[in-house]
Amino acid sequence: MDDTDRPPSAVHRGGRRKAPVLFKVLAAVAALGLLLLGVLSTPDRALTCSSEVIGEREMVRISGPNGRTADVLAMIDTGASASSMDTALAKDLGFDLAKAPRVTVGSALGREERPVVDSTMHLAGRTFTAKTNVNNRSKRETPVLLGRQDVQGLHVAVGKRLLTQPDAATAPSALRILFTKAPAIDPVSMMALLPLAALLIVLFRVVVGLNTLGTFSPVLLALAYAQSGLLLGVPLTLLMFAFGFSMQPLLRRLHLPRVARLGVLIAVVTSGLIAAQLTLGGFGLSDAWGMSLPVVVTAIITERLWEQWDLDGIRSAGVGAALTMGTAVLVALLLLTPHVRHLAEAVPLQLALVCAVWTAIVGTYCGLRLSELFRFAPAAKAQDVAA
């Protein structure tokens, strides 16, 4: 067990006072369990003081003529007069585009005729009928664009996203956001949430005894997942790991110093991201994650994975990678919880200061870690039997 995170006085402390230490560890684990339970089952709440405020990207529910519905991500653009919908989405909803009336629409590409359909939409708890022109939006970030004529009476919060749900003016759950390809945390709130993410990592390492590939690398991965979503973030992370491992034989033969190895890994990871962005851009997905995946951190994690593989074998390296990514997902869930997002937007400075204080308090814990209790349980049982 690595003792680098433990205070010096705790490394040489004896095994007496087992019961109080056990109680502390169980209490800490119970608190962690309650925290995670709250993250997964927290009730939705409004992120703003007014139910008339929506973000620049919101989930909207569209109903077709045959009763078909679809929940899709919509861009709120008050600069556009009319709303538009992707052709493939309109066909899936059952609209007959061949018989639909047509209207001439001007754009940067010129003027063109587009079919117009009457669609029933649900946005932030409101239901309305929108005259929507249909065009190809397969290379756009969102399949639906809502113009100013359909969002009258609503205020658009610049820089905010996913503040509401289609059937209510409350924020979506953390799990739902993680499976949506839209960043939901604005830059100011992200800065305020960094100390909270660091507090959770300190709790994992000091109390639980969870070792990851890099101390705070799960925090940066969590921010990437919160911005890109799991459906893109996790496969991209695994792809970067695969690219890094493919370079391992060559780098071993070159006998490069550590700084040069990291430089090569950064170039490889960046090349993989650029290739993925060029490929996914054709499907309108590139803007969903952009530069959210931390390139340098991914390269460092890949190098740590190499080292653990060499020292302890493939099983230990796989466990380390799984723990790192799993911790990142848990931290991302916490950051995207509606209550937490509300605190980050309402009182960012106070949240950061409180997290700093509690991080110092958690750091004073000197008892056995939870992983150590399981590790030493057979020896303690054998000692009790012998006694």
Side-chain angles (χ1 to χ4, degrees):
M1 178 58 65
D2 183 15
D3 292 316
T4 56
D5 298 325
R6 192 189 299 273
S9 59
V11 178
H12 304 289
R13 183 168 295 180
R16 300 178 183 179
R17 300 195 307 168
K18 294 181 180 179
V21 171
L22 178 61
F23 290 153
K24 291 181 181 179
V25 172
L26 292 179
V29 173
L32 177 62
L34 290 176
L35 174 64
L36 296 179
L37 181 63
V39 167
L40 297 177
S41 62
T42 179
D44 297 331
R45 63 167 298 164
L47 289 180
T48 61
C49 58
S50 174
S51 60
E52 298 180 349
V53 177
I54 59 176
E56 294 179 340
R57 305 287 188 277
E58 292 290 351
M59 295 298 297
V60 61
R61 181 173 298 143
I62 306 178
S63 300
N66 299 327
R68 298 180 183 177
T69 61
D71 289 1
V72 296
L73 187 67
M75 175 188 296
I76 314 299
D77 187 2
T78 55
S81 60
S83 301
S84 63
M85 181 192 313
D86 183 58
T87 305
L89 176 61
K91 292 180 179 179
D92 291 340
L93 292 174
F95 289 104
D96 189 353
L97 301 182
K99 298 181 180 180
R102 296 183 173 271
V103 64
T104 302
V105 178
S107 65
L109 300 178
R111 303 179 67 84
E112 59 177 336
E113 286 191 352
R114 298 177 183 177
V116 177
V117 297
D118 292 331
S119 57
T120 302
M121 297 192 180
H122 304 266
L123 171 67
R126 300 187 176 193
T127 302
F128 56 93
T129 301
K131 285 192 174 294
T132 310
N133 62 74
V134 180
N135 65 318
N136 183 10
R137 297 183 57 87
S138 60
K139 294 185 179 181
R140 306 293 181 88
E141 179 188 354
T142 61
V144 173
L145 180 145
L146 293 182
R148 59 176 176 270
Q149 68 179 10
D150 293 321
V151 294
Q152 293 181 0
L154 295 174
H155 301 284
V156 181
V158 179
K160 308 292 184 180
R161 298 189 178 193
L162 298 180
L163 302 182
T164 66
Q165 301 181 79
D167 52 358
T170 54
S173 65
L175 281 174
R176 186 168 185 177
I177 295 177
L178 274 181
F179 286 95
T180 303
K181 58 172 187 178
I185 304 178
D186 58 277
V188 176
S189 299
M190 186 181 298
M191 291 291 293
L193 291 173
L194 278 174
L196 180 60
L199 169 60
L200 192 60
I201 295 299
V202 172
L203 184 64
F204 276 140
R205 294 184 70 92
V206 175
V207 179
V208 181
L210 182 67
N211 290 322
T212 57
L213 300 174
T215 305
F216 290 104
S217 55
V219 173
L220 299 179
L221 282 181
L223 294 178
Y225 295 160
Q227 294 298 92
S228 65
L230 293 182
L231 296 180
L232 285 176
V234 172
L236 281 175
T237 305
L238 296 176
L239 183 63
M240 295 307 101
F241 288 165
F243 279 172
F245 266 89
S246 66
M247 296 296 297
Q248 184 182 17
L250 176 61
L251 295 180
R252 286 182 180 276
R253 292 181 181 179
L254 295 177
H255 301 288
L256 298 176
R258 185 172 186 269
V259 62
R261 290 199 309 270
L262 284 177
V264 173
L265 283 177
I266 290 173
V268 170
V269 171
T270 304
S271 301
L273 283 176
I274 293 175
Q277 186 170 7
L278 292 176
T279 303
L280 296 177
F283 300 94
L285 299 178
S286 61
D287 188 58
W289 52 273
M291 294 297 296
S292 59
L293 192 66
V295 176
V296 178
V297 173
T298 306
I300 294 177
I301 294 176
T302 304
E303 189 195 33
R304 295 284 181 88
L305 198 58
W306 288 1
E307 296 174 354
Q308 191 159 351
W309 189 321
D310 291 338
L311 293 176
D312 302 320
I314 184 174
R315 180 178 179 181
S316 178
V319 171
L323 288 177
T324 301
M325 296 181 65
T327 303
V329 172
L330 289 178
V331 174
L333 281 172
L334 177 64
L335 300 185
L336 292 175
T337 302
H339 291 284
V340 176
R341 291 175 60 194
H342 178 76
L343 287 175
E345 293 185 5
V347 285
L349 180 59
Q350 293 86 334
L351 177 62
L353 293 176
V354 168
C355 290
V357 173
W358 275 103
T359 302
I361 293 175
V362 173
T364 60
Y365 176 76
C366 300
L368 289 175
R369 299 166 179 169
L370 179 62
S371 58
E372 292 175 334
L373 291 179
F374 287 105
R375 177 184 176 186
F376 299 133
K381 185 181 294 186
Q383 184 177 2
D384 293 339
V385 171

